[in-house]
């Protein structure tokens, strides 16, 4: 029996699913991080370990084709190095964003707005995916959790300087840090995930400063979605930890829940690769 | 004879001046970097070395009071640690931004807009300095060279995604990097000074994308200056590598050239500390 492998791998961990030709999942596995750009060797080892667990759970067999959605797959050369280390006949390697989109939409036309620590937007029309955004916090990732958290700290400093009024939320942020210099010091060592820890309280808050940040983020999200709409006709699927917050703010758009996970998207990719 | 020491120290080097009570400079010295937050031990050693050279050039003597403008002086605890290592009776330690402001204005009322790799704005009224901005690129430094260079890369990626039109400048930036992913990769390792290397071509260019970036930067600069103006009455002194570019764009403001350098400001601080 021909088996198919799907891998969903990111900076925190890697999941594997082994399925039959109909898409029925026979076994699941899990292992450590799989960012093939920042640490290709341990990514390959973790992918093979997750596969091993999933294949045992499935009762063994041979992988006919594999679909892998991996953080860092957009880095030049990274997918080729990994492909050489994998013993499968058919291998497709894409970013974890692509498998998330494929999983969310299946084969259907639609738009995905993924808003977690980072942000990325995509349309799928007739099987062709167009992706925008997802450039990282330094140059983009508008409306992402990291972007929202960084904006909260920046607005706090702008209130200290008198560019904007202090609100209870900004006053609270300043008090928690102790001083403006402590906020600056934090910014110098914070990774996107650190900034993103501040996002849920901004998304939930009715404070005027939070409302202003979320209004800008919602505008940026709407602009990205509009850019992907061919005729304002495709439903939007919101993904990620902040997905529900933006789905509620953009309730006037036609929306559709996700069909499946990134792991489902990876399995779909595997069947397409075969 | 009572001698006064001025120190201007930053991330690339440290300069010392020894002067008499009238402010006449008797000797100059120079040594390595003096960021007292990131490397306090070598900062102290470099300051003492620069002093040693300046004091020898002055023909020897005893320092009565010292004024030091140092990068990192706003980090909690850093000035106290350095003060303990310096053998002077009167010591004043401030950031290098403060000595730049003091040097530029002398004892006069005025406003300083310092636009180099970073950006900082200040007013001096009746000897009291109020400083805004200067929070670093992650959370602020609007209109700085680093901010402008980063904006150029971000706009190039927004043109790739279709959020904005490609212009000859943005097309050129993309071609120089080879791919959008290469621009993202650069952003992950670039320090503010790296981004700032792109700023002069933006400031000089008549390309529409450059004009839009400079228009936003000029708006931010004007807003910071307006916030510091008590009654629109104080002349503005522009400092830093991008100072002339913004002075030209804000030619309707009353302006005044700098009276002196940051080293002059440090000597003024030393006399005030005595």
């Amino acid at each position: 029996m021909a088996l198919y492998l799907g891998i969903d791998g990111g900076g925190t961990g890697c999941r594997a699913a082994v399925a039959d030709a109909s898409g029925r999942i026979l076994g699941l596995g899990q292992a450590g991080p799989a960012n093939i750009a920042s640490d290709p060797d341990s990514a390959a080892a973790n992918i093979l370990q997750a596969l091993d667990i999933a294949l045992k759970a499935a009762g063994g067999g041979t992988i006919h084709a594999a679909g892998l959605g991996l953080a860092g797959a957009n880095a030049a050369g990274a997918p080729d190095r990994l492909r050489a280390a994998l013993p499968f006949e058919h291998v497709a390697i894409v970013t974890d964003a692509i498998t998330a989109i494929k999983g969310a939409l299946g084969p259907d036309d639609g738009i995905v707005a993924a808003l977690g620590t980072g942000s990325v937007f995509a349309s799928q029309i007739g099987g062709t995916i167009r992706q925008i955004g997802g450039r990282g916090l330094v140059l983009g990732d508008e409306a992402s959790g990291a972007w929202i958290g960084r904006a909260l700290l920046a607005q706090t400093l702008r209130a200290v300087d008198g560019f904007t009024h202090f609100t209870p939320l900004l006053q609270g942020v300043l008090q928690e840090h102790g001083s403006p210099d402590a906020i600056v010091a934090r910014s110098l060592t914070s990774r996107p995930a650190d900034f993103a820890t501040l996002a849920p309280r901004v998304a939930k808050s009715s404070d005027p400063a939070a409302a202003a940040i979320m209004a800008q983020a919602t505008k940026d999200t709407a602009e990205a979605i509009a850019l992907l709409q061919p005729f304002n006709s495709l439903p939007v699927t919101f993904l990620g930890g902040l997905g529900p917050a933006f789905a509620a703010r953009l309730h006037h758009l036609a929306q559709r829940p996700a069909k499946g996970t990134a792991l489902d998207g990876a399995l779909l990719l595997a069947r397409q690769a075969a």
Side-chain angles (χ1 to χ4, degrees), chain A:
Chain A
M1 186 174 63
L3 293 180
Y4 296 83
L5 169 68
I7 296 279
D8 173 38
T12 56
C14 138
R15 297 180 308 144
V18 169
D20 62 20
S22 75
R24 194 164 58 98
I25 292 179
L26 306 173
L28 291 166
Q30 204 162 323
N35 185 316
I36 59 169
S38 62
D39 193 349
D41 291 341
S42 56
N46 287 330
I47 288 164
L48 291 172
Q49 193 192 339
L51 157 64
D52 199 48
I53 296 166
L55 202 54
K56 275 187 188 128
T62 305
I63 301 297
H64 177 57
L68 299 90
L70 300 171
N74 49 339
D80 293 334
R81 283 194 304 271
L82 178 66
R83 196 174 279 113
L86 296 177
F88 315 127
E89 197 176 345
H90 304 287
V91 180
I93 302 175
V94 297
T95 65
D96 49 346
I98 294 288
T99 43
I101 293 159
K102 281 184 162 295
L105 299 180
D108 298 347
D109 289 0
I111 288 178
V112 169
L115 298 138
T117 299
S119 70
V120 64
F121 304 88
S123 64
Q124 179 171 258
I125 300 174
T128 299
I129 290 175
R130 176 183 168 203
Q131 183 184 322
I132 61 175
R135 308 298 192 178
L137 183 62
V138 176
L139 298 179
D141 274 13
E142 290 84 357
S144 69
W147 185 95
I148 290 168
R150 185 184 61 183
L152 177 64
L153 298 180
Q155 275 304 97
T156 302
L157 294 179
R158 287 181 68 80
V160 169
D161 281 348
F163 284 101
T164 184
H165 291 291
F166 262 113
T167 66
L169 176 64
L170 300 183
Q171 197 71 60
V173 170
L174 179 59
Q175 274 163 12
E176 285 158 31
H177 287 81
S179 72
D181 285 342
I183 295 176
V184 172
R186 173 183 182 167
S187 78
L188 298 178
T189 57
S190 283
R191 298 173 57 84
D194 302 324
F195 288 121
T197 61
L198 295 165
R201 66 196 276 197
V202 179
K204 273 180 230 149
S205 171
S206 60
D207 182 275
I213 292 168
M214 290 307 294
Q216 181 64 49
T218 303
K219 187 167 165 280
D220 289 342
T221 299
E223 193 191 353
I225 291 168
L227 193 60
L228 292 167
Q229 279 289 13
F231 308 104
N232 253 2
S233 54
L234 297 180
V236 182
T237 301
F238 286 90
L239 302 179
L242 289 160
F246 288 102
R249 281 173 171 82
L250 293 168
H251 53 83
H252 57 283
L253 300 179
Q255 297 186 20
R256 192 168 56 189
K259 285 202 161 179
T261 66
L263 206 47
D264 296 316
L267 282 171
L268 186 60
L269 186 72
R271 289 201 298 278
Q272 290 171 347

